[in-house]
Amino acid sequence: MQLATRARRMAAVVVSAGLVLSGCGLGGSNDSSAGTDGKVTGDVTGTISFQTWNLRAKYADYFTGLIKQFQTEHPGTTVNWLDQPADGYADKLSADATAGALPDVVNLSPDLAVPLYKQKLLLDLDVAAPDAVKDYLPGAWQGFAMPGQAHSYSFPWYLNTGPWFYNKKLFTDAGLDPTKPPKTYEELRDQALVLAQHTNGAIAMFGQTPSIEDLGLYGVEAMNKEGTRFTFNSPKGVELVNLFKQMYDAKALLPEALTATYTGAGKKFMAQQVAMNSGSAYDLKNFRTDAPGLYANIGITTPMTNTGHANMYLQGVSVSAASKNKATAIAFARFVTNARNQLAFAKIVTIFPSTAGTLDDPFFTEDDGTDDARVRVAAAKQLATAVNYTPVAFTDQMKTILRNELANAMLGKESPQAALDSAADQCDKLLTS
């Protein structure tokens, strides 16, 4: 799947919970590390395997060159590159883990790392490579902290975040200031109600109900510190759902948004029937081509947040705890994710680096007037302090549960408190199932 799309997903499909710890990685046998209980040391030599997630088709030249450079800098090393298709990636990870054949270095999203972590198949990188944390953005490093843990189990790789687009003309027509789009959820609610009243509900502010990210952006703690139960049914969580309920009742939200399979908000935005929508540089290009009237009035702003920190979506590179060449695997994982190579990768695909200081590069700070640059600069500004608000244990099934319960709250079938209580209870049961 496309990198920008995958990095913006809340969660990937869930790896089977039935993984077992057995066997070893695909590497050689020259490691002299301290194992998984301490800092990994030893010569960087021998053979390792490196698995990516549907990247070969478009980025083969980049990865071939990357591997060649590493092998040149470290004589005696061999990196065997594996690339798996997007469909069935979680199942492939499960099968490899069960067979004791998990690659030495493997591309993972946070949710895909959780089942492997639970079976002790991934290295604790705060222990195995304690000097690495300083090289990455704090929010990105913490994005791979496992449930109830402070330690990371993946070197952060590429990030993404979505700026919001808004229609300046629709704002102006409703008497709203087109230079001051909403920055907080309260401002969103207030402006949405003005828009709905002015248009008699014909124009919605946007087309989505709250997600787990919205709860985080509002300041709701989604889980307890131990990672054993969900806590988004707190009074603050209820506050946010009440805000959305007010907007829904005023027809400031698209009614279709309550349907779990609804994907039409973007089209409604292009048709100028919705005033705000999240997106990417790809969308801006589409507006210019397919919706020139919208493009002429497009505004770009940061996502609403009551915490002062935007949301990030991230991918990482983990190291198998069973690798026989841990020193080489760690060295290669850090090489893939170092500042130089992340910057080079970001210049050929619409993603952002997770390394400390790299977002200060002119590529991310200077707007040359192109659509790509307009969105890239806007997004980069918010990533330096962004947070992954989606708990690593929050699965697609849990996402559906939350959405369904909140739809009931919007429709008045349940109170916001009852809806959140039900969602938290169902999600808690899945944690232990």
Side-chain angles (χ1 to χ4, degrees), residues 387-406:
V387 174
N388 177 21
Y389 287 110
T390 303
V392 292
F394 198 76
T395 67
D396 272 356
Q397 187 176 359
M398 295 174 185
K399 174 184 176 182
T400 299
I401 288 169
L402 179 61
R403 183 165 186 164
N404 288 342
E405 289 295 336
L406 292 183

Side-chain angles (χ1 to χ4, degrees), residues 152-212:
S152 176
Y153 284 75
S154 189
F155 294 109
W157 194 7
Y158 56 87
L159 312 176
N160 222 315
T161 191
W164 277 77
F165 298 116
Y166 68 102
N167 189 318
K168 292 181 179 180
K169 184 177 185 302
L170 292 181
F171 271 60
T172 300
D173 290 347
L176 297 170
D177 188 340
T179 68
K180 296 181 179 179
K183 300 294 185 183
T184 67
Y185 283 88
E186 289 82 4
E187 290 177 1
L188 173 67
R189 185 265 319 276
D190 293 344
Q191 294 188 30
L193 294 181
V194 170
L195 178 69
Q197 183 178 20
H198 179 83
T199 63
N200 293 318
I203 303 295
M205 181 60 89
F206 60 101
Q208 65 185 53
T209 51
S211 64
I212 193 70

Side-chain angles (χ1 to χ4, degrees), residues 269-320:
F269 181 69
M270 291 179 68
Q272 303 192 66
Q273 297 172 344
V274 171
M276 295 191 74
N277 198 51
S278 60
S280 69
Y282 295 113
D283 296 309
L284 199 56
K285 293 177 181 177
N286 290 338
F287 301 157
R288 182 178 56 191
T289 302
D290 301 330
L294 169 64
Y295 183 78
N297 293 289
I298 202 71
I300 303 174
T301 187
T302 56
M304 281 68 66
T305 172
N306 286 35
T307 67
H309 301 282
N311 185 62
M312 72 164 61
Y313 305 86
L314 67 163
Q315 292 284 322
V317 178
S318 297
V319 176
S320 169

Side-chain angles (χ1 to χ4, degrees), residues 48-208:
I48 60 168
S49 54
F50 167 50
Q51 180 169 287
T52 53
W53 184 357
N54 196 35
L55 300 181
R56 187 184 296 273
K58 290 192 174 183
Y59 310 108
D61 289 345
Y62 171 80
F63 286 102
T64 299
L66 192 72
I67 291 168
K68 182 178 180 180
Q69 182 64 35
F70 178 80
Q71 292 175 161
T72 299
E73 293 182 13
H74 300 281
T77 61
T78 298
V79 178
N80 293 323
W81 180 28
L82 312 170
D83 187 66
Q84 301 297 338
D87 292 340
Y89 189 64
D91 292 335
K92 174 62 176 171
L93 286 173
S94 178
D96 285 348
T98 300
L102 192 70
D104 297 277
V105 180
V106 59
N107 175 197
L108 295 171
S109 54
D111 60 299
L112 291 181
V114 173
L116 302 176
Y117 153 76
K118 288 182 176 179
Q119 296 298 321
K120 306 185 188 303
L121 296 176
L122 301 180
L123 281 185
D124 178 339
L125 298 179
D126 277 280
V127 173
D131 61 324
V133 60
K134 69 181 185 305
D135 297 335
Y136 302 90
L137 296 171
W141 188 263
Q142 281 302 305
F144 278 93
M146 293 294 103
Q149 284 258 3
H151 289 191
S152 176
Y153 284 75
S154 189
F155 294 109
W157 194 7
Y158 56 87
L159 312 176
N160 222 315
T161 191
W164 277 77
F165 298 116
Y166 68 102
N167 189 318
K168 292 181 179 180
K169 184 177 185 302
L170 292 181
F171 271 60
T172 300
D173 290 347
L176 297 170
D177 188 340
T179 68
K180 296 181 179 179
K183 300 294 185 183
T184 67
Y185 283 88
E186 289 82 4
E187 290 177 1
L188 173 67
R189 185 265 319 276
D190 293 344
Q191 294 188 30
L193 294 181
V194 170
L195 178 69
Q197 183 178 20
H198 179 83
T199 63
N200 293 318
I203 303 295
M205 181 60 89
F206 60 101
Q208 65 185 53

